[in-house]
Amino acid sequence: MGRVDAHHHIWDLTVREQSWMVGPELDPIRRSFSIDDLVPLAATADVTATVLVQTVSLLEETVEFLEVAAGNELVAGVVGWVDLTADDVGEVLAGLLSRPDGVYLKGIRHQVHDEPDDNWLLRPDVRRGLAAVADAGLAYDLLTKPPHLPAAIETVRNLPQLTFVVDHISKPRIGDPLEPWATQLQELAALPNVTCKLSGMVTEAPWTTWKPTDLQPYADTVLNAFGPNRVMFGSDWPVCLLAASYNQVLETAETLTTTLTPTEQHSIFKTTATDTYGL
């Protein structure tokens, strides 16, 4: 196994619309993207395994993604969606895992940053659902923005049995002050059951004018807080195409980690993902 891309998506607009795809600024990615579109890009970048991540809050998409993983050797794992607030969440997870392709289900995610309540993660029904994810032996991807970090910290602290993964470094706006995001991320990183994806930064920066040096302070904050053995690379393709090509995102991640040792770089581009998700 070469490199691992721990975060990408696919969608087929002939099957369903992507409800988050609002506004003309997203027109460059307002088309269908399949795993076959990613395969040649990954091959060029020496990416030999990926994690396919949910985009909509539908169980049907999770099933479709498991089928994609079973049918394509590039996809090593799926982070899907289930209704964490449902009374039968444990049964739903068991049903997914019992499928012939259920071995590819590695984690669960919900678009927490779209919830109107910044403390959504602290709801009792959500807490119960997250405990069911832990019981199923899966990880949970935290899709948050800086206002959600206090609730995320409390959630991670209260569920030590669950492995959490912070997506897109919790989406600070590149160019905004590092605080309070940096201190809160350090508080989150102090908890041993959480890792972080070095992903999603190019689309949080000005899309047409960003430079790797603009991203460096944010990447350094993540690396200092978590350490390389708890950080993993993710492309966020095809969302990243709004600001950068697949290869540009990968080259930028290499630039941001250029001062690390080869062993530390190996963690970021492979072993953190394989260990966290059990790829």
Side-chain angles (χ1 to χ4, degrees):
M1 188 186 292
R3 290 166 161 162
V4 175
D5 179 351
H7 196 107
H8 74 88
H9 309 285
I10 58 173
W11 53 77
D12 186 343
L13 297 186
T14 68
V15 174
R16 71 179 62 86
E17 291 296 318
Q18 297 289 310
S19 57
W20 55 271
M21 207 176 284
V22 178
E25 66 273 13
L26 297 183
D27 285 349
I29 60 171
R30 202 182 309 277
R31 65 177 180 85
S32 298
F33 290 89
S34 74
I35 194 63
D36 291 336
D37 295 319
L38 179 59
V39 166
L41 302 175
T44 301
D46 190 32
V47 170
T48 58
T50 70
V51 178
L52 174 57
V53 180
Q54 65 88 220
T55 65
V56 293
S57 300
L58 286 173
L59 190 63
E60 291 85 350
E61 183 195 57
T62 301
V63 172
E64 292 161 7
F65 282 4
L66 293 175
E67 292 170 347
V68 168
N72 190 289
E73 62 183 16
L74 180 62
V75 180
V78 169
V79 174
W81 180 90
V82 297
D83 183 357
L84 293 173
T85 68
D87 291 339
D88 64 345
V89 59
E91 297 169 24
V92 172
L93 289 168
L96 290 170
L97 289 167
S98 67
R99 292 171 50 91
D101 50 19
V103 66
Y104 292 101
L105 186 64
K106 304 299 184 181
I108 297 297
R109 186 176 86 149
H110 178 76
Q111 274 93 334
V112 174
H113 66 26
D114 288 340
E115 294 290 341
D117 180 7
D118 287 351
N119 292 316
W120 184 85
L121 284 165
L122 301 179
R123 284 171 40 169
D125 52 354
V126 175
R127 176 75 54 84
R128 179 175 46 79
L130 291 171
V133 173
D135 290 343
L138 300 171
Y140 182 77
D141 272 37
L142 285 163
L143 181 56
T144 55
K145 292 183 177 180
H148 310 101
L149 280 173
I153 292 164
E154 185 174 344
T155 299
V156 172
R157 183 179 290 121
N158 290 333
L159 288 163
Q161 74 275 30
L162 178 57
T163 296
F164 290 87
V165 184
V166 179
D167 286 355
H168 311 328
I169 70 172
S170 200
K171 297 175 78 73
R173 291 295 300 170
I174 305 300
D176 283 358
L178 292 177
E179 297 298 345
W181 165 80
T183 295
Q184 291 171 336
L185 198 74
Q186 289 162 357
E187 188 175 351
L188 190 59
L191 302 167
N193 55 319
V194 60
T195 60
C196 186
K197 290 181 182 177
L198 197 65
S199 63
M201 290 185 289
V202 295
T203 47
E204 294 300 324
W207 293 350
T208 58
T209 60
W210 69 271
K211 311 179 295 296
T213 51
D214 300 329
L215 313 183
Q216 193 73 60
Y218 302 85
D220 287 347
T221 298
V222 170
L223 292 166
N224 290 333
F226 286 91
N229 64 334
R230 288 199 290 150
V231 174
M232 64 185 89
F233 164 75
S235 69
D236 199 27
W237 181 92
V239 179
C240 69
L241 299 179
L242 294 167
S245 70
Y246 189 84
N247 200 52
Q248 282 178 306
V249 172
L250 184 62
E251 289 179 348
T252 298
E254 292 174 337
T255 298
L256 296 174
T257 59
T258 190
T259 60
L260 302 180
T261 69
T263 298
E264 291 170 334
Q265 292 171 338
H266 187 66
S267 292
I268 291 169
F269 290 100
K270 182 177 179 179
T271 54
T272 300
T274 57
D275 292 349
T276 300
Y277 288 120
L279 303 182

